[in-house]
Each structure stands twice: as structure tokens, then as C-alpha cells.
């Protein structure tokens, strides 16, 4: 049986670990040919070696905030698999700090990677999709793109901006069959981002234990469980496939009911 994304050329950024790696794995299972990219070379190469057992995967080190590297990524992918049909812009960073203490250079870094990086990826991937006669650009956003986030202004601002970028680009590309949508996951509490970093940052900023932070974030979800990679991958595959062919400019919540706008 033909798979839903059979031979569809795809790029996933921030794919060395976490959600990006899970999305790349799922796209390969669905038949796509996938280039994975990340700023961290060694873990990316390791991920590619593991994913080779599933399907046709290539890898390239790339900083999404560097235009020449993103241009090279799109050329590399097109040479390997043909014009890009699916681009999952997943790479992002999170630095949490109170506004009054936030170092401006660190604030700018978050915007540079999370928002300007998204624009740079669009700038170089969308022409490839136009050449392919259509495509699906999927921005990994967050529920923090819909609602303010406590002591997390840089990240929330970058994610709110991302939705404006998606809507604007969707208007520019709509007539050419290139669709642009965002996915807004809830808290992936079992991801490396939370386990290695966020539980510690939030516990420190909010003056409570890491266990209390976990309980607090689960209690905020009407479905009373964290978001999982599978929850997000299901929506990414839908957006990458022709099943969503009448959808563009959307920002879809995957939050167990926590965000409804
Ligand atoms: N973890 C969560 O709870 C959660 C919730 C909602 C949304 N998200 C979003 O999901 C996406 C992935 O998050 P994650 O939890 O897997 O994070 P993560 O930190 O585990 O992975 C992010 C990856 O992006 C890479 N990266 C960082 N800066 C980069 C750059 N400049 N260029 C290229 N790659 C770069 C990192 O090396 C890393 O491999 C992000 O867009 C994040 O905002 C995460």
C-alpha cells in the first residue's frame, strides 16, 4: 500500500533530539524522504545513523538564524531529493527570565532564532515549494504563541510573532498551492527540554520544587496529561499530507483543551 507521504521530499530543523527528531522519524515511517538539520552536528549525525533503518534520510548541520546556512540546506535537500514539498520549522530555544532582569542580548537571541530563523527558512524553502508546484510549510509554534507565559516574555513574543508570520506568508502563497500553518503544542513534559532545563529554570524562577512544577503544569490541562510527541506528529502528518489541502494560515492547538483560541 502506498504511504501518505511516499517519496515526498521533507526538511526538519532542530532534529538532533526532542520533538524534531520524533517528527523526522514519523515522516520517514509515512514514506517521506527527509533531510534533518540542527546546529549541533555530532548528535545530528547520530540521529541520522539511527533513522537510516527506517527510510531515506540525509543530514546537514545548519543554524536557522544564519541565512547562508539555510540557503545551503535548501540547495542540499533539492539536490538529494528534488524540490522541497514539506518543511517542518521546529528549531527553537527557550531562555526564561523576568523582564526586569532580562539581558537584552539574550532576549534578542531568542527572537533571532525562533522568529527571524522562521522567516529565513520560509524565504529559502517557499521558492523550492513553488518549483515543486505546491507544498506545506509547518511551523512548530506553542501554546505560548496564543497566551502570555510567566517570566517567559522572549519565547512567548517569538511565538506570537511566528503566528503573524504564518498568516502573512500564507496570504502571499495561497494562490500558488503552497500552504503555511503552525502547530501549537502544549507542554511536552517528558521531553529533554523540560527534563534537562525547564523544570530547573521554572523551579528557580517560581521558588518551588521541580515536582511541584510538574504537578502544576499537569493540573492546568483539562485532559490532565502532558502533550506527547505522538499527539504533535499526528497533526504534522495531517498538515504535510493532501488531507489538509484546504487549510492555510492556521495555528492549530494540540493542548488537551488548555488553549482554545
Ligand atoms: N518541549 C515542549 O514542551 C514544547 C512545547 C511547545 C512547543 N515546543 C516547540 O517544539 C520545538 C522543539 O522543542 P523541543 O522540546 O524538542 O526542544 P529541544 O531543545 O529538545 O530541541 C530543539 C533542537 O533545536 C536545535 N537548535 C537550537 N537552536 C538552533 C539553531 N539556531 N539552528 C538549528 N537548530 C537549533 C537544538 O540543538 C535542539 O536539537 C520548538 O519549536 C519548541 O518551541 C516545545
Amino acid at each position: 500500500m502506498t504511504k501518505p507521504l511516499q517519496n515526498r521530499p521533507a526538511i526538519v530543523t532542530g532534529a538532533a533530539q526532542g520533538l524534531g527528531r520524533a517528527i523526522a522519524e514519523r515522516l520517514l515511517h509515512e514514506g517521506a524522504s527527509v533531510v534533518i538539520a540542527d546546529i549541533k552536528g555530532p548528535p545530528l549525525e547520530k540521529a541520522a545513523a539511527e533513522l537510516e533503518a527506517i527510510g531515506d534520510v540525509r543530514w546537514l548541520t545548519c543554524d536557522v538564524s544564519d541565512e547562508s546556512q539555510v540557503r545551503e540546506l535548501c540547495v542540499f535537500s533539492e539536490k538529494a531529493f528534488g524540490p522541497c514539498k514539506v518543511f517542518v520549522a521546529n528549531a527553537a530555544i527557550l531562555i526564561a527570565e523576568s523582564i526586569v532582569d532580562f539581558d537584552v542580548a539574550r532576549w534578542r537571541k531568542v527572537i533571532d532564532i525562533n522568529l527571524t530563523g522562521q522567516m529565513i527558512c520560509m524565504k529559502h524553502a517557499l521558492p523550492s515549494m513553488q518549483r515543486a508546484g505546491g507544498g506545506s510549510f509547518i511551523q512548530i509554534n506553542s501554546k505560548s504563541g496564543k497566551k502570555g507565559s510567566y517570566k517567559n516574555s522572549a519565547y512567548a513574543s517569538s511565538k506570537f510573532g511566528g503566528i503573524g508570520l504564518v498568516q502573512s506568508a500564507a496570504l502571499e502563497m495561497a494562490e500558488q498551492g503552497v500552504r503555511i500553518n503552525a502547530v501549537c503544542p502544549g507542554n511536552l513534559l517528558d521531553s529533554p527540554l523540560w527534563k534537562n532545563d525547564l523544570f530547573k529554570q521554572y523551579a528557580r524562577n517560581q521558588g518551588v520544587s521541580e515536582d511541584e512544577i510538574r504537578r502544576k503544569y499537569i493540573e492546568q490541562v483539562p485532559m490532565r496529561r502532558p502533550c506527547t510527541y505522538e499527539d504533535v506528529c499526528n497533526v504534522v502528518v495531517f498538515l504535510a499530507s493532501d488531507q489538509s489541502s484546504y487549510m492555510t494560515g492556521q495555528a492549530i492547538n494540540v493542548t488537551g483543551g488548555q488553549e482554545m483560541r
Side-chain angles (χ1 to χ4, degrees), residues 13-21 23 37-40 43 62-66 69 89-94 109 112-114 118 139-144 155 159 183-194 196-198 227 229 232:
T13 68
Q17 66 168 41
L19 180 60
R21 189 193 182 288
I23 290 171
D38 202 285
I39 197 168
K40 291 184 194 150
C62 172
D63 175 352
V64 294
S65 65
D66 181 322
Q69 292 185 33
N90 165 83
I93 59 166
L94 190 156
K109 185 175 180 195
D112 201 31
I113 294 172
N114 295 8
Q118 289 276 341
Q139 174 186 93
I140 302 301
N141 200 287
S142 168
K143 66 177 172 47
S144 301
Y155 183 77
K159 295 293 188 180
V183 180
C184 301
N187 296 314
L188 294 149
L189 295 184
D190 297 313
S191 64
L193 180 69
W194 275 87
N196 302 339
D197 187 9
L198 292 190
C227 188
Y229 291 151
V232 182

Side-chain angles (χ1 to χ4, degrees), residues 83-132:
C84 176
K85 297 276 284 180
V86 175
F87 193 109
V88 185
N90 165 83
I93 59 166
L94 190 156
I95 302 173
E97 189 58 89
S98 156
I99 290 173
V100 293
D101 295 325
F102 224 128
D103 175 70
V104 174
R106 277 158 61 82
W107 208 93
R108 283 206 174 105
K109 185 175 180 195
V110 176
I111 302 295
D112 201 31
I113 294 172
N114 295 8
L115 179 56
T116 312
Q118 289 276 341
M119 175 270 175
I120 293 171
C121 289
M122 283 184 188
K123 179 175 173 183
H124 292 281
L126 299 182
S128 189
M129 289 180 187
Q130 289 174 307
R131 278 195 293 283

